[in-house]
């Protein structure tokens, strides 16, 4: 089965840039979605199809995807960005099951 | 605005069947290009996709849960359901229902989640 690997935690100071990686075999050939999840809440998609944003998501959130790594970049980090972030793809095998990374906790220092 | 809400027992005895329902408003579960999904998250852990059902009733499952999971539609109530058999403590998690608008699209609407504890 397809596996996505994320670092357990990253940190960034307010106003700085945070980058969260998501590793997977040839992930560059897949569309990657990113979700933000705050404590006690359901996830919310912040980036889809590698680098598109839903309406209402600030342009401080961006994504890239190439080779074996996809990346979520949060520019000008704010205290309110502190949350868990998970990457997600649809596997290309069988019934195309959904696959999530283990999640990364972003701490705003 | 599309809204989803999970409901069902919060406590299930080990080896019994876990049953949850997702009530949908603002969209018809039997029309369009929507896929209706179940996702779970054990405490302190990552998200796990369980499966999905298309408006036609076609189902797709996580290979690791296929033998135990069943997802179905109830179009008369605009609801869809999850049944997970032969439960163990490892099935204890917050269970979410969620929608995608199209095949292999992002999850755009989620329920608030419901905690299910499996215990003897």
């Amino acid at each position: 089965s397809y596996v996505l690997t994320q670092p357990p935690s990253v940190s960034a100071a307010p106003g700085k840039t945070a980058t969260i990686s998501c590793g997977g075999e040839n992930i560059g050939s897949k569309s990657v979605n990113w979700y933000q999840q705050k404590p006690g809440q359901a996830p919310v998609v912040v980036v889809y199809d590698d680098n598109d944003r839903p309406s209402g998501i600030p342009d401080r959130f961006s994504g890239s995807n190439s080779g074996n790594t996809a990346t979520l970049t949060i520019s000008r980090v704010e205290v309110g960005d502190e949350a868990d972030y998970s990457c997600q793809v649809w596997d290309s095998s069988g019934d195309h099951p959904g696959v999530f990374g283990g999640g990364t906790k972003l701490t705003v220092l | 605005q599309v809204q989803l809400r999970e409901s069902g027992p919060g406590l299930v005895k080990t080896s019994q069947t876990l049953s949850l329902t997702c009530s949908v408003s603002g969209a018809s579960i039997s029309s369009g290009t929507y896929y209706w999904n179940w996702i779970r998250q054990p405490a302190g852990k990552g998200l796990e996709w369980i499966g999905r059902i298309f408006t036609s009733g076609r189902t797709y499952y996580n290979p690791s849960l296929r033998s135990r999971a069943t997802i179905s539609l109830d179009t008369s109530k605009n609801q869809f359901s999850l049944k997970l058999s032969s439960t163990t403590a490892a099935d204890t998690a917050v269970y979410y229902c969620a929608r995608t608008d199209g095949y292999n699209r992002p999850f755009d609407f989620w329920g608030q989640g419901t905690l299910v504890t499996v215990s003897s």
Side-chain angles (χ1 to χ4, degrees), chain A residues 45-100:
Chain A
V45 58
V46 293
V47 168
Y48 67 95
D49 290 349
D50 297 340
N51 192 25
D52 284 330
R53 285 183 312 278
S55 59
I57 301 300
D59 61 5
R60 300 185 297 103
F61 290 83
S62 63
S64 63
N65 186 17
S66 179
N68 293 319
T69 304
T71 302
L72 174 69
T73 301
I74 308 172
S75 304
R76 304 182 300 283
V77 167
E78 301 177 356
V79 172
D81 297 333
E82 186 162 291
D84 290 327
Y85 292 85
S86 297
C87 55
Q88 179 259 323
V89 301
W90 294 98
D91 193 357
S92 55
S93 65
D95 276 349
H96 303 150
V99 180
F100 287 93

Side-chain angles (χ1 to χ4, degrees), chain B residues 33-55:
Chain B
T33 58
Y34 306 131
Y35 288 79
W36 305 98
N37 298 260
W38 286 99
I39 296 158
R40 69 181 183 179
Q41 185 173 37
K45 296 187 178 181
L47 298 158
E48 180 180 33
W49 181 79
I50 298 170
R52 59 182 163 178
I53 187 165
F54 186 47
T55 56

Side-chain angles (χ1 to χ4, degrees), chain A residues 25-31 65 67:
Chain A
E25 184 176 351
N26 198 26
I27 194 174
S29 67
K30 304 180 186 299
S31 288
N65 186 17

Side-chain angles (χ1 to χ4, degrees), chain B residues 5-6 13 18-20 22 26 34-35 39 58 62 64-65 67 70 72 85 87-89 94 99 101 104 108 110 120:
Chain B
R5 186 176 71 250
E6 305 87 352
K13 289 190 179 297
L18 178 160
S19 296
L20 295 174
C22 182
Y34 306 131
Y35 288 79
I39 296 158
R58 166 81 157 92
N62 186 324
S64 68
L65 295 168
S67 63
T70 302
S72 59
S85 63
T87 53
T88 70
V94 174
R99 188 194 83 165
D101 187 358
N104 289 2
D108 56 359
W110 296 67
S120 57

